[in-house]
Amino acid sequence: MKITRKEFLRLTGLSLLAGGAMQVVRAIGQGGTAARAAASQPVRLGMVIDLSKCREKDGCNECIHACNTTHNIPQIANRAHEVKWIWTEPFGTVFPSAQTGYAEQSYTKVQVPLMCNHCAEPPCTRVCPTRATWKRDDGIVMMDWHRCIGCRYCIAACPYGSRSFNWQDPRPAIASINPDFPTRTKGIVEKCNFCEERLARGMKPACVEACPQGVFTFGNLADPESEPRDLLRSRFALQREPELGTGPSVYYLM
Amino acid sequence: MFMMEKALKGSRRYWIWLSCVTCFIAVGLCFYLRQLDQGLGITGLSRDVSWGLYIAQFTFFVGVAASAVMLVLPYYLHDDMHFARITILGEFLAIAAVVMCILFIFVDLGQPARVLNIIRYPSPRSLMFWDMISLGGYLLLNVIIAFATLRAEREETRPPQWMKALALISIPWAISIHTVTAFLYSGLAGRSFWLTAILAPRFLASAFSSGPALLILLCLALRRLARYDAGEEAIRKLAVIMTYAMAINVFFVLVEVFTVFYAAIPEHAVHFEYLYLLGGAHTLAPWMWISALCAIAALAILLTPAWRSRWLPLGCVLVFGSLWLEKGLGLIVGGFEPSPLGEVTPYVPTLPEWSIVAGIWAVGVFLITMFFKITVSVRKEAEG
Amino acid sequence: MRDRVWIFIGLAVFVAAFTAPFWHVHAKTSARQPDLVLPANQKECVAPASTMRDAHMQMLLNWREDVVRRGDRRYVAFDGKVYEKSLTHTCLGCHSKAAFCDRCHEYSGVSGPYCWNCHSDPQATVTRSRP
C-alpha cells in the first residue's frame, strides 16, 4: 500500500481528532446516565450539627481526633501547610451574615465544627479538569486520589475553604499510620469524604460515632422520614452561605 | 522547515548572551527538581493562598500572547503594509509567551507526572479544559503562520493562500484565549474579587497594552543590536494602540473601584482593601501602589505630544512594569486574600519560587532570541 | 584522516553507553527465580495463579476504579469465594508485601509501584506505630 506524506499527515490528524471527540462524547454521555440513576431512587446524604449540644462541652474535640486517626490526617505545625477534614472556627467567622452587631457573646464565641458541605451543586467538581472530584449519586462529593493532578482549581472554587493541599509529604507528620485507610502523597488535594469507606461497611462516619454529645445526625436528606429531616422540621437551621446556590448538605441547628 | 540553521550561526555576543540565558534556565531547573522532590511547600503558597506567582505569571503571559492580534488584525484584515515587517515578530513573541504559559501551569501542578490525565479524562465542564484547547490551538496557529511566512520569504515566493485564512482565524482565537483565561477566575462563586463581568474585558485591555509595550521594547533592541528596523510607522501605531489600551484598562479598574466602594458590600471591598491599604499584614500594598503610580506616569508620558516620541521606551517600561505588578501578582493573590473564612495569610514568594519563575522567563528569552535571529537572518538575506 | 581515532573512540563510547543497561542488569541480578513466599494456609489466589502473574496490575487498577469511582467493593472470585476489592485488606491479607510483591518486582525490574506512597503495608505499620 502506498501512502503519500500528505495523506499520512491528514490521516494521523483525523484519527487524533476522532479519538479526542470520542472521549468528549463519552464524558457527556456518562454525565447523563449518572443523572438518570439518581432520579430513580433519591438519596442525598447529609449531616445536621446541633450547636446547642456542642456548646455544652466546651473544648471537646473528639470528632476531630476520630477523623484524624481514621483517615491518617497529618498534624502539621506550620499553619500555612495544614491539612484538615474537620475542624472548628468561631461562630462569627463561619456565619458572618448571621450576626447583628450587638450579638450575645454566648454564641458568637462558640466554636463551630466545619467540614466539607457535600454541596448539591458543588463548584469544586465543576472546575476539576480531570474529574478527579465529582458528586456521587448519593450526594457525597468524592475525591479520586489516584487521579488528582494537584492543580488546586477546586481549592480556588470552594467557597468554604474545605479543601486542603498536601504541600509536603504527609507521612512523617502522621504519628501512627492506620493501615486501614491509605495516606495521601505530596501534591494532591484532599478533603472530608463523609467516611464513604465506613458507610460502605455499614458504619457511621467517624465523627458521628465519636461525639460524646450526639451533636451530629447523619442520614438521607431526601427521605422525609429520616432523622436529619426530623430535626430540620422542628428546629431553626442554618447553612453556610446558601445564597451562593451551592446547596450545602451540612446544616447547623442553633 | 524551522530554519534552525540560521539560529546556529551567530556572533560572539550572540553566543555569550545565549549562554547567560541558559544559566538562568539551569538554575530554575535545579530549583524545580527540588520542588519535585520536596513538594510545593518550598514556595510561599499556603492552604489559604493556594495560587500565587506561577498562576499570576501564567495569566500575564496569556495576555502577552493574545496581544499579537493587535498586529495581525491591521496587517491581514486591513492590509496595512506598515505592519509587514513587524507582524511576524509579534507572532514569534506570542509563541514564546504561550510556551511560557504552559510551563507556568506545569510547574504549578502538584503531580506533574499525571498531567496527561487532563487529556485522558477530558472534562468539558471545566474551563481549564477549554483553556488547554485554546492555548494549544493558538500555539499551533502561530507556529504555522510564522514559519510559513518566513519560508515564503526565504524562497521569495508569495505565502500560500491558506495562510491568510489561518491568520484570520487566529484573530478571534487570540481574543478567546484571554477571555477563557478570565473565565477561569470570574466563574467562581466564592471569590468575589474575580466575580465580575468586567474581568475579561479588563484582561484584554491590559493584554493589548502590556504585549505591545514589550514588543516595542524588543523592536528598539533589535534596531540597536541587530540593525534590523521593524518600521518607524509600525512602532508609532503600536504605541498608539498600547496607549489607548492602557487608558481603557485604567478606566476599567476605576469602574471596578467605584462599584465596589460605593456599593460598599464588605465581601467585595475587603479584597481591594487588602491590596491597597498600606500597613499591617498587607504585604502587597506597596507594590500595588507602585503599579498605580507607574500607570499614571505612563499615561502622562504617552498622552503628552511633546514627550510621547522622546520618552517612548520609558513609557513602555512603565506600562509593562505597572501591568506586571497588577496582573502578574496582585490579581491572583488579591482573590485569595482574605480567605473565605476572613483570614489573611501573608504570601511572600520564596527564593526557589522566584528562581523557577526566572528560569521560565529565561526559556522565553531564549526562544525569542532564536526566533528573532532566524527572522533577521532570513530577511537580511532576502534583501541582499 | 587524523579524525579516525576520534571517530572510533566516539563510536566505542556510544556503543558502551547504549548497551549499558544490559551490562548493568547482568551485573546486578542473577537468573535464578525469585524466592517468593506464598501464603502458608491458603491454596488459591483470587484468580488462577497464571492469570494473576500476567494480569494482577490490570486487576488492581480495575478494582480501584470500581471501588473509588463506582462504589463497588464486592469481588466474586473464579472459585465462587467473595472478596473485598482492596489492596491492603485483600492482597496483603494473604501476601506479604516485602517477601512477595517487592521481591518479584525487584526481580522483574519493575520500579516499585508507586501505590505504596499511600497504601500501607499492615505488617510494616504495626511495627512502626509501636515505639
mmCIF file of all heavy atoms in Angstrom, chain C residues 45-66:
data_model
loop_
_atom_site.group_PDB
_atom_site.id
_atom_site.type_symbol
_atom_site.label_atom_id
_atom_site.label_comp_id
_atom_site.label_asym_id
_atom_site.label_seq_id
_atom_site.Cartn_x
_atom_site.Cartn_y
_atom_site.Cartn_z
ATOM 1 N N CYS C 45 -5.349 -18.221 44.858
ATOM 2 C CA CYS C 45 -5.366 -16.760 44.823
ATOM 3 C C CYS C 45 -6.778 -16.311 44.414
ATOM 4 O O CYS C 45 -7.686 -17.140 44.285
ATOM 5 C CB CYS C 45 -4.327 -16.254 43.837
ATOM 6 S SG CYS C 45 -4.014 -14.500 43.984
ATOM 7 N N VAL C 46 -6.951 -15.015 44.193
ATOM 8 C CA VAL C 46 -8.278 -14.534 43.803
ATOM 9 C C VAL C 46 -8.573 -14.849 42.338
ATOM 10 O O VAL C 46 -9.678 -14.617 41.856
ATOM 11 C CB VAL C 46 -8.427 -13.018 44.057
ATOM 12 C CG1 VAL C 46 -8.326 -12.727 45.538
ATOM 13 C CG2 VAL C 46 -7.380 -12.238 43.287
ATOM 14 N N ALA C 47 -7.575 -15.324 41.633
ATOM 15 C CA ALA C 47 -7.744 -15.810 40.262
ATOM 16 C C ALA C 47 -6.649 -16.844 40.068
ATOM 17 O O ALA C 47 -5.710 -16.887 40.867
ATOM 18 C CB ALA C 47 -7.607 -14.655 39.276
ATOM 19 N N PRO C 48 -6.745 -17.672 39.027
ATOM 20 C CA PRO C 48 -5.697 -18.667 38.820
ATOM 21 C C PRO C 48 -4.312 -18.024 38.808
ATOM 22 O O PRO C 48 -4.152 -16.897 38.308
ATOM 23 C CB PRO C 48 -6.043 -19.261 37.449
ATOM 24 C CG PRO C 48 -7.489 -19.028 37.287
ATOM 25 C CD PRO C 48 -7.815 -17.778 38.023
ATOM 26 N N ALA C 49 -3.330 -18.726 39.350
ATOM 27 C CA ALA C 49 -2.002 -18.130 39.531
ATOM 28 C C ALA C 49 -1.448 -17.557 38.233
ATOM 29 O O ALA C 49 -0.845 -16.484 38.228
ATOM 30 C CB ALA C 49 -1.049 -19.166 40.103
ATOM 31 N N SER C 50 -1.691 -18.266 37.125
ATOM 32 C CA SER C 50 -1.123 -17.752 35.871
ATOM 33 C C SER C 50 -1.781 -16.434 35.490
ATOM 34 O O SER C 50 -1.126 -15.505 35.025
ATOM 35 C CB SER C 50 -1.320 -18.786 34.768
ATOM 36 O OG SER C 50 -2.695 -19.046 34.618
ATOM 37 N N THR C 51 -3.073 -16.347 35.688
ATOM 38 C CA THR C 51 -3.770 -15.092 35.411
ATOM 39 C C THR C 51 -3.202 -13.997 36.300
ATOM 40 O O THR C 51 -2.952 -12.868 35.851
ATOM 41 C CB THR C 51 -5.278 -15.216 35.694
ATOM 42 O OG1 THR C 51 -5.729 -16.445 35.186
ATOM 43 C CG2 THR C 51 -6.046 -14.061 35.106
ATOM 44 N N MET C 52 -3.021 -14.311 37.559
ATOM 45 C CA MET C 52 -2.515 -13.303 38.491
ATOM 46 C C MET C 52 -1.149 -12.813 38.037
ATOM 47 O O MET C 52 -0.867 -11.617 38.045
ATOM 48 C CB MET C 52 -2.402 -13.873 39.906
ATOM 49 C CG MET C 52 -3.718 -14.110 40.591
ATOM 50 S SD MET C 52 -4.820 -12.709 40.515
ATOM 51 C CE MET C 52 -4.076 -11.610 41.691
ATOM 52 N N ARG C 53 -0.312 -13.781 37.651
ATOM 53 C CA ARG C 53 1.040 -13.398 37.253
ATOM 54 C C ARG C 53 0.986 -12.422 36.081
ATOM 55 O O ARG C 53 1.687 -11.436 36.044
ATOM 56 C CB ARG C 53 1.808 -14.654 36.846
ATOM 57 C CG ARG C 53 3.259 -14.636 37.227
ATOM 58 C CD ARG C 53 3.862 -16.027 37.033
ATOM 59 N NE ARG C 53 3.320 -17.007 37.963
ATOM 60 C CZ ARG C 53 3.049 -18.271 37.626
ATOM 61 N NH1 ARG C 53 3.252 -18.709 36.400
ATOM 62 N NH2 ARG C 53 2.583 -19.101 38.525
ATOM 63 N N ASP C 54 0.106 -12.697 35.133
ATOM 64 C CA ASP C 54 0.046 -11.861 33.929
ATOM 65 C C ASP C 54 -0.702 -10.554 34.156
ATOM 66 O O ASP C 54 -0.377 -9.544 33.561
ATOM 67 C CB ASP C 54 -0.685 -12.607 32.798
ATOM 68 C CG ASP C 54 0.086 -13.816 32.348
ATOM 69 O OD1 ASP C 54 1.275 -13.899 32.718
ATOM 70 O OD2 ASP C 54 -0.496 -14.660 31.655
ATOM 71 N N ALA C 55 -1.740 -10.615 34.953
ATOM 72 C CA ALA C 55 -2.697 -9.502 34.883
ATOM 73 C C ALA C 55 -3.054 -8.901 36.231
ATOM 74 O O ALA C 55 -4.051 -8.200 36.337
ATOM 75 C CB ALA C 55 -3.968 -9.975 34.176
ATOM 76 N N HIS C 56 -2.226 -9.117 37.270
ATOM 77 C CA HIS C 56 -2.641 -8.546 38.560
ATOM 78 C C HIS C 56 -2.634 -7.026 38.552
ATOM 79 O O HIS C 56 -3.403 -6.394 39.247
ATOM 80 C CB HIS C 56 -1.779 -9.080 39.704
ATOM 81 C CG HIS C 56 -0.342 -8.676 39.620
ATOM 82 N ND1 HIS C 56 0.546 -9.301 38.805
ATOM 83 C CD2 HIS C 56 0.349 -7.701 40.243
ATOM 84 C CE1 HIS C 56 1.744 -8.743 38.933
ATOM 85 N NE2 HIS C 56 1.639 -7.761 39.794
ATOM 86 N N MET C 57 -1.772 -6.441 37.701
ATOM 87 C CA MET C 57 -1.725 -4.971 37.687
ATOM 88 C C MET C 57 -3.027 -4.405 37.136
ATOM 89 O O MET C 57 -3.614 -3.491 37.687
ATOM 90 C CB MET C 57 -0.537 -4.457 36.866
ATOM 91 C CG MET C 57 -0.082 -5.338 35.733
ATOM 92 S SD MET C 57 0.981 -6.616 36.378
ATOM 93 C CE MET C 57 1.043 -7.777 35.042
ATOM 94 N N GLN C 58 -3.492 -5.025 36.032
ATOM 95 C CA GLN C 58 -4.728 -4.536 35.443
ATOM 96 C C GLN C 58 -5.892 -4.777 36.403
ATOM 97 O O GLN C 58 -6.761 -3.928 36.575
ATOM 98 C CB GLN C 58 -4.989 -5.261 34.113
ATOM 99 C CG GLN C 58 -6.058 -4.597 33.272
ATOM 100 C CD GLN C 58 -5.779 -3.114 33.113
ATOM 101 O OE1 GLN C 58 -4.680 -2.696 32.771
ATOM 102 N NE2 GLN C 58 -6.788 -2.282 33.403
ATOM 103 N N MET C 59 -5.870 -5.930 37.093
ATOM 104 C CA MET C 59 -6.936 -6.227 38.029
ATOM 105 C C MET C 59 -6.979 -5.186 39.146
ATOM 106 O O MET C 59 -8.039 -4.679 39.508
ATOM 107 C CB MET C 59 -6.694 -7.611 38.625
ATOM 108 C CG MET C 59 -7.607 -7.948 39.769
ATOM 109 S SD MET C 59 -7.082 -9.497 40.472
ATOM 110 C CE MET C 59 -8.495 -10.485 40.140
ATOM 111 N N LEU C 60 -5.801 -4.834 39.647
ATOM 112 C CA LEU C 60 -5.772 -3.844 40.727
ATOM 113 C C LEU C 60 -6.302 -2.501 40.251
ATOM 114 O O LEU C 60 -7.041 -1.821 40.966
ATOM 115 C CB LEU C 60 -4.350 -3.687 41.247
ATOM 116 C CG LEU C 60 -3.925 -4.767 42.243
ATOM 117 C CD1 LEU C 60 -2.452 -4.671 42.528
ATOM 118 C CD2 LEU C 60 -4.718 -4.614 43.523
ATOM 119 N N LEU C 61 -5.925 -2.142 39.035
ATOM 120 C CA LEU C 61 -6.417 -0.858 38.520
ATOM 121 C C LEU C 61 -7.930 -0.911 38.343
ATOM 122 O O LEU C 61 -8.641 0.061 38.619
ATOM 123 C CB LEU C 61 -5.728 -0.499 37.203
ATOM 124 C CG LEU C 61 -4.223 -0.250 37.295
ATOM 125 C CD1 LEU C 61 -3.682 0.273 35.975
ATOM 126 C CD2 LEU C 61 -3.881 0.731 38.403
ATOM 127 N N ASN C 62 -8.443 -2.066 37.880
ATOM 128 C CA ASN C 62 -9.897 -2.182 37.740
ATOM 129 C C ASN C 62 -10.579 -2.105 39.103
ATOM 130 O O ASN C 62 -11.605 -1.449 39.254
ATOM 131 C CB ASN C 62 -10.266 -3.509 37.075
ATOM 132 C CG ASN C 62 -9.857 -3.527 35.629
ATOM 133 O OD1 ASN C 62 -9.575 -2.477 35.044
ATOM 134 N ND2 ASN C 62 -9.800 -4.711 35.043
ATOM 135 N N TRP C 63 -10.021 -2.790 40.066
ATOM 136 C CA TRP C 63 -10.595 -2.752 41.415
ATOM 137 C C TRP C 63 -10.689 -1.323 41.913
ATOM 138 O O TRP C 63 -11.666 -0.892 42.490
ATOM 139 C CB TRP C 63 -9.715 -3.551 42.375
ATOM 140 C CG TRP C 63 -9.955 -5.010 42.328
ATOM 141 C CD1 TRP C 63 -10.560 -5.697 41.322
ATOM 142 C CD2 TRP C 63 -9.594 -5.966 43.323
ATOM 143 N NE1 TRP C 63 -10.582 -7.025 41.620
ATOM 144 C CE2 TRP C 63 -9.994 -7.223 42.847
ATOM 145 C CE3 TRP C 63 -8.956 -5.888 44.563
ATOM 146 C CZ2 TRP C 63 -9.791 -8.389 43.581
ATOM 147 C CZ3 TRP C 63 -8.744 -7.038 45.277
ATOM 148 C CH2 TRP C 63 -9.164 -8.280 44.801
ATOM 149 N N ARG C 64 -9.595 -0.622 41.689
ATOM 150 C CA ARG C 64 -9.524 0.722 42.232
ATOM 151 C C ARG C 64 -10.571 1.623 41.561
ATOM 152 O O ARG C 64 -11.241 2.408 42.239
ATOM 153 C CB ARG C 64 -8.105 1.207 42.043
ATOM 154 C CG ARG C 64 -7.900 2.599 41.660
ATOM 155 C CD ARG C 64 -6.432 2.822 41.504
ATOM 156 N NE ARG C 64 -6.219 3.561 40.276
ATOM 157 C CZ ARG C 64 -5.036 4.018 39.905
ATOM 158 N NH1 ARG C 64 -3.963 3.762 40.623
ATOM 159 N NH2 ARG C 64 -4.918 4.699 38.811
ATOM 160 N N GLU C 65 -10.765 1.460 40.246
ATOM 161 C CA GLU C 65 -11.820 2.234 39.584
ATOM 162 C C GLU C 65 -13.179 1.836 40.151
ATOM 163 O O GLU C 65 -14.030 2.668 40.412
ATOM 164 C CB GLU C 65 -11.817 1.988 38.070
ATOM 165 C CG GLU C 65 -10.585 2.502 37.368
ATOM 166 C CD GLU C 65 -10.612 4.011 37.172
ATOM 167 O OE1 GLU C 65 -11.517 4.507 36.486
ATOM 168 O OE2 GLU C 65 -9.713 4.676 37.721
ATOM 169 N N ASP C 66 -13.391 0.512 40.321
ATOM 170 C CA ASP C 66 -14.676 0.037 40.816
ATOM 171 C C ASP C 66 -14.975 0.600 42.200
ATOM 172 O O ASP C 66 -16.066 1.095 42.459
ATOM 173 C CB ASP C 66 -14.681 -1.495 40.893
ATOM 174 C CG ASP C 66 -14.763 -2.121 39.520
ATOM 175 O OD1 ASP C 66 -15.065 -1.385 38.563
ATOM 176 O OD2 ASP C 66 -14.516 -3.336 39.401
#
